[in-house]
Amino acid sequence: MSLICMNIRLVLRSDTMFSSGHSTPGGEDIALRLDQDGMPFLPGATLKGLLRESVGDCLRWTGEDPAALTALFGQEGWQSGDASPDLTAGPGGPPGDPARRLIFGDLRLEEGQTDWEITRTFTALEDQVVKTGTLRTASCLRKGLVFRGMLFCDQRDARLIQDGCAALKWAGLLRNRGFGQIQVTADPAGPLAHRPALSPTSCLRYRLKLVTALNVPQYRRSAGGWHELNYTDTRQYLPGSAVRGLLLSTLAREQPDWFAAHKAQLLGDGVRFLDALPVSEGQAAVPAPMGFYEDKGETHFYSVLTRREVLPQDKRAKLGSFCTLEAGPKGPLLRGCSPKTAAALRMRRGRTPEEKQVFSANAIAPGTVLEGYIQLDDPGLAPALSAAFYDWAWLGADKFAGYGLCRVAEVAPAQGRYGAPFGFSDGDQIPSELYMMLLSPTTMARAGEPVGLDEEALADLLALPPCGPGQKRLEITGCATAAAEQVGFNTTWGCASPAEVMYAPGSVFQLKCAAPPSLAALRRLEQTGLGLRRGEGCGQVLFLKDYPRYQKYRETGRPAASPLAELRRARCRWLLETPVPGGLSNSQLGTIQALCERAMAQKGDLGDLRAFFDHNIKDKGARNQARYQAFREAFDKLMERPLAETLEVDRCPDGPVERLKLVCDWLDLSRKKVGR
């Protein structure tokens, strides 16, 4: 396997629509696909579809083996979990050659290009006449824009990928009307490099930065009854089992002898791949502790483990999915956080027309940073595991369709793991009443059967001394928990992993010990974990030092939105709140809009517009004069005032053309309103 990176450059040779698949309420009928910062992009899944068709044409034209198409792009219509007709992929694995499968990233707008959007209008014809009620508006990308991205391929396929990119000519919607003409080039950027091997250590820390959206669904899309759903959600973290699969498959492929000699250790509980959790304010977050309540005014904040009674008017506290800890004047402050997620329309193609289905898939947004740990009982395994990381990684579902591409930002030795600010430090006095929070799904077993938490086994793990007759060394006196089914899927063998019902991350248990445990015992249990499936990251616990004293962080202001997103909101707000004066008919407004678009094409020349207004105000009677006079006053005010002042924003692109674009959108919206 010799993966290389290909830099992709896409130039728009005509106006183009990279559509989002839906319209904007109160705005255009065809909206552009925008990222979380309000910038246009071409998803990797769309690039894959375009390139698949183009490479297939190239293979037919040159007479090469058509099986290369399946090797590169996978079998069309295949669903994970189906039996594979290609035995080279393993029982139930994706058909084709895994070493040749292409990895796609999104194509994003090149920096420095700001004036990228233009609005176009369309109508349908009936008997050579405009059909009533068919006026539609669409947001387009301007001709000449440049998008850049990357894909990863095997070195032997580089020339075929270059030829396939060069053959791409069209993308987006309304190609039959001249939109979407493109030019694409692909240039090799060099082979992928492994991260350097680190010295032996008992804990590795890695950080991943998402380049494309990451989708880690709770269940398989091929499972029974999935066809009844039209939406899939994602976990808001990366399970440790996914990272384990990535690294162990790399070691098995590239170092088969070493992997065979250490396979039992790598797959056992002596190597624990902890979940990768989101980083907030530079600190790795932990699951938000359960059991906290607050009143509707959010004036007081408490836990049911300390108060025991919930007031009727109170509700569960809003902490988000994860939280970090920081110092506060009255006690430690819990700052809640959740990674940004975004939904996109997807197509489940299937193998028959009846299986085709459009659905919405939620995913963690690009730019999110995830931090995870690998704990090792044998430090000698650290060099091989650290060197198994490439500079790039692809994880989660749909990783061959433009999802889950990550930049490996860091792999380094670590003294501890996430959650250190919540735990006990050297010199702290350990009380006999402890609060234990679960960082990952957890259940213990007795005689081979899951039992939740086993008090006696937990007392042994904490090395508590024996007690007299009738006394318990450890007792769970309270808890705030939720249950979750831990599931997984083995892509190599095409079957689901055994499911276990476990306590969910964030569950908190109040433990009463007959004698305080030692700090060494707490840290040992935090290091090794407890219960089942610890090698996959399950069973991780954290003993909270200041749980009864936690306060909730209060936001003092909203986070600043990106300038482009703020500008779009300001435009929509102005368009929706500003009525068109004068009572002009739809046809009269359409004539004014046509003259505005002509003025835009003439770089802001308003001569024809002013002549039109003068004619209707002076030569068409008093009633017509009143209507046009009111509109002209509003129009002149718009054209004379700075656009930033009109939209009430700090700054924005301005000029006669930008102001005319706002007028055109204003007229478009006025003709769509019900009741005109």
Side-chain angles (χ1 to χ4, degrees):
M1 181 178 178
S2 55
L3 283 176
I4 63 171
C5 177
M6 303 283 286
N7 287 329
I8 308 298
R9 184 175 184 267
L10 183 149
V11 181
L12 303 186
R13 302 184 66 182
S14 68
D15 291 346
T16 304
M17 301 177 194
F18 294 157
S19 173
S20 63
H22 54 78
S23 60
T24 300
E28 60 269 15
D29 297 292
I30 301 177
L32 290 174
R33 184 74 177 268
L34 304 177
D35 62 16
Q36 69 273 15
D37 296 322
M39 299 297 291
F41 72 104
L42 182 70
T46 304
L47 176 61
K48 177 185 178 182
L50 295 171
L51 192 58
R52 182 188 188 108
E53 182 179 0
S54 178
V55 170
D57 292 339
C58 291
L59 292 173
R60 286 191 293 271
W61 295 335
T62 58
E64 297 184 39
D65 184 5
L69 190 66
T70 299
L72 293 172
F73 296 90
Q75 180 174 314
E76 191 170 12
W78 181 85
Q79 301 293 328
S80 62
D82 295 345
S84 170
D86 186 348
L87 298 180
T88 61
D97 185 353
R100 297 180 66 185
R101 290 295 293 271
L102 302 180
I103 307 294
F104 291 86
D106 299 333
L107 298 185
R108 299 190 176 275
L109 194 63
E110 193 176 58
E111 293 185 3
Q113 302 177 104
T114 55
D115 186 15
W116 43 265
E117 187 176 11
I118 185 174
T119 301
R120 303 292 295 272
T121 57
F122 307 92
T123 58
L125 297 180
E126 186 176 39
D127 298 329
Q128 305 302 316
V129 179
V130 174
K131 188 176 181 180
T132 303
T134 62
L135 180 67
R136 296 291 183 269
T137 60
S139 291
C140 304
L141 297 171
R142 292 182 180 275
K143 173 183 177 181
L145 295 176
V146 178
F147 289 77
R148 291 186 181 273
M150 63 182 67
L151 66 80
F152 300 88
C153 67
D154 194 88
Q155 191 166 7
R156 57 184 151 164
D157 299 315
R159 173 51 59 185
L160 180 59
I161 297 303
Q162 288 180 302
D163 293 342
C165 289
L168 286 173
K169 301 301 179 186
W170 302 93
L173 299 182
L174 298 182
R175 304 180 196 179
N176 60 338
R177 297 199 180 192
F179 290 88
Q181 188 175 4
I182 60 174
Q183 181 181 15
V184 184
T185 57
D187 298 315
L192 267 67
H194 279 286
R195 303 286 301 189
L198 300 177
S199 302
T201 181
S202 60
C203 186
L204 292 172
R205 182 185 73 243
Y206 59 89
R207 280 196 174 186
L208 308 174
K209 184 174 183 180
L210 302 188
V211 178
T212 61
L214 174 66
N215 185 6
V216 187
Q218 296 283 2
Y219 51 85
R220 294 178 291 128
R221 297 195 188 119
S222 58
W226 185 90
H227 62 280
E228 299 176 359
L229 305 175
N230 62 357
Y231 176 79
T232 62
D233 205 352
T234 180
R235 306 181 194 184
Q236 297 185 352
Y237 62 94
L238 180 65
S241 56
V243 179
R244 182 173 76 163
L246 171 73
L247 298 184
L248 298 195
S249 62
T250 301
L251 291 170
R253 182 180 61 249
E254 299 181 357
Q255 302 182 46
D257 295 337
W258 185 92
F259 178 77
H262 298 85
K263 182 176 180 179
Q265 285 180 281
L266 295 170
L267 294 175
D269 290 340
V271 180
R272 296 172 294 279
F273 292 83
L274 278 58
D275 298 336
L277 306 182
V279 174
S280 176
E281 304 291 333
Q283 179 183 344
V286 300
M290 298 182 187
F292 283 103
Y293 282 76
E294 60 188 351
D295 63 327
K296 293 184 178 180
E298 300 184 3
T299 56
H300 63 273
F301 178 77
Y302 62 92
S303 170
V304 293
L305 297 184
T306 56
R307 177 176 287 189
R308 300 292 182 178
E309 294 182 1
V310 177
L311 299 178
Q313 68 272 20
D314 291 350
K315 59 181 181 179
R316 293 184 184 273
K318 297 178 181 178
L319 287 176
S321 302
F322 302 91
C323 64
T324 57
L325 196 68
E326 59 185 60
K330 297 182 180 180
L333 296 178
L334 288 174
R335 181 195 286 265
C337 63
S338 295
K340 291 182 179 179
T341 59
L345 292 178
R346 303 288 308 282
M347 172 70 78
R348 180 179 185 254
R349 298 188 179 278
R351 293 179 176 176
T352 64
E354 292 76 16
E355 292 179 351
K356 292 185 178 180
Q357 179 184 8
V358 176
F359 66 96
S360 177
N362 205 25
I364 305 176
T368 304
V369 177
L370 302 173
E371 180 175 291
Y373 292 80
I374 305 172
Q375 295 176 334
L376 308 167
D377 289 348
D378 181 3
L381 299 176
L385 284 172
S386 59
F389 280 100
Y390 283 99
D391 288 337
W392 296 89
W394 30 95
L395 297 154
D398 303 318
K399 61 184 180 183
F400 296 118
Y403 282 75
L405 180 61
C406 312
R407 181 81 179 184
V408 182
E410 180 184 6
V411 180
Q415 297 297 324
R417 52 157 190 195
Y418 39 59
F422 291 81
F424 291 92
S425 305
D426 293 338
D428 289 336
Q429 184 175 359
I430 309 300
S432 59
E433 185 177 78
L434 296 170
Y435 294 91
M436 183 179 73
M437 184 175 73
L438 307 185
L439 299 178
S440 60
T442 301
T443 189
M444 301 176 72
R446 185 188 302 129
E449 295 295 330
V451 294
L453 291 187
D454 187 331
E455 293 178 339
E456 281 299 315
L458 186 55
D460 291 338
L461 292 172
L462 290 174
L464 297 180
C467 294
Q471 293 183 332
K472 288 186 176 182
R473 293 187 295 164
L474 181 144
E475 183 180 3
I476 299 175
T477 56
C479 65
T481 65
E485 187 177 34
Q486 184 71 4
V487 298
F489 184 75
N490 190 309
T491 57
T492 301
W493 298 106
C495 63
S497 303
E500 297 284 356
V501 177
M502 300 185 176
Y503 288 117
S507 298
V508 179
F509 296 85
Q510 187 179 45
L511 309 179
K512 184 178 180 181
C513 304
S518 65
L519 179 60
L522 298 185
R523 288 183 173 174
R524 183 172 58 251
L525 185 54
E526 291 176 343
Q527 174 74 17
T528 61
L530 56 86
L532 304 177
R533 301 171 72 162
R534 289 184 289 130
E536 300 176 24
C538 297
Q540 295 296 312
V541 301
L542 177 64
F543 291 94
L544 305 175
K545 175 184 176 182
D546 295 310
Y547 180 81
R549 299 177 54 238
Y550 287 159
Q551 303 292 319
K552 182 180 176 182
Y553 176 83
R554 308 293 179 182
E555 293 286 351
T556 56
R558 296 181 58 186
S562 66
L564 284 175
E566 185 64 33
L567 177 58
R568 292 180 68 89
R569 282 195 288 269
R571 284 177 62 92
C572 290
R573 182 174 59 249
W574 187 90
L575 291 171
L576 293 172
E577 295 177 354
T578 308
V580 174
L584 298 175
S585 67
N586 284 343
S587 61
Q588 291 169 329
L589 293 175
T591 302
I592 295 174
Q593 182 175 350
L595 292 172
C596 288
E597 292 178 350
R598 181 190 300 176
M600 290 167 58
Q602 297 172 353
K603 299 183 179 180
D605 185 1
L606 302 179
D608 292 342
L609 259 172
R610 299 194 185 284
F612 175 79
F613 286 139
D614 289 340
H615 172 68
N616 281 277
I617 292 173
K618 297 178 180 178
D619 305 333
K620 290 291 188 77
R623 184 177 179 182
N624 206 60
Q625 176 184 0
R627 291 179 176 179
Y628 277 96
Q629 183 64 39
F631 183 87
R632 179 169 186 172
E633 291 176 357
F635 175 82
D636 289 342
K637 185 178 180 180
L638 275 176
M639 297 304 298
E640 292 169 2
R641 291 178 63 186
L643 193 56
E645 183 179 340
T646 299
L647 300 179
E648 298 181 357
V649 295
D650 293 336
R651 62 178 183 275
C652 65
D654 202 354
V657 174
E658 294 294 332
R659 299 175 191 180
L660 286 168
K661 285 171 59 179
L662 181 64
V663 174
C664 288
D665 292 344
W666 191 33
L667 297 175
D668 268 340
L669 182 60
S670 71
R671 296 202 303 280
K672 293 180 182 177
K673 287 183 177 179
V674 177
R676 284 200 55 85

